[in-house]
Amino acid sequence: MSEEAKNLKRMLGPLRLFLGPVVDIADHIRAQVESETVSEEEIMRRLRELGQQLDDGEISEEQYDEAEAVLLEHLDRLEAERESE
């Protein structure tokens, strides 16, 4: 590994520690949503749960934003599919 690559890896380490949980939550929700046929009601329920987790301090604002974006993206796809039928 070159010295430049080693320096970059050292600099990204703390950033990875900070953003890791956000990425993990978003990936988990994305995998769940993609692996299931999820209704609009189910997505809305998950959004409410996510809001409650934020209110209870279980997740950070960044984690909430990332997870919410995944759910809203899926909701948009469902609406687009419904309109195209």
Side-chain angles (χ1 to χ4, degrees):
M1 182 181 294
S2 72
E3 191 63 33
E4 186 176 304
K6 288 178 185 177
N7 287 336
L8 182 59
K9 187 174 180 180
R10 256 185 253 128
M11 290 182 344
L12 291 177
L15 184 60
R16 210 178 280 160
L17 287 174
F18 175 73
L19 293 177
V22 174
V23 173
D24 290 344
I25 287 174
D27 287 343
H28 177 71
I29 290 174
R30 182 174 285 116
Q32 277 186 321
V33 168
E34 290 174 354
S35 70
E36 303 172 358
T37 302
V38 180
S39 68
E40 183 176 339
E41 294 80 20
E42 178 66 15
I43 293 172
M44 298 306 290
R45 184 188 66 75
R46 289 181 183 183
L47 284 167
R48 286 190 300 275
E49 286 177 358
L50 197 60
Q52 188 63 50
Q53 289 175 328
L54 178 64
D55 291 344
D56 293 345
E58 295 174 17
I59 60 173
S60 70
E61 190 79 34
E62 293 85 13
Q63 291 168 320
Y64 173 85
D65 290 343
E66 184 69 27
E68 179 191 42
V70 171
L71 290 169
L72 291 176
E73 178 183 313
H74 190 67
L75 187 60
D76 287 343
R77 277 198 308 261
L78 281 176
E79 290 174 355
E81 288 172 9
R82 188 174 42 230
E83 289 175 3
S84 68
E85 292 177 352

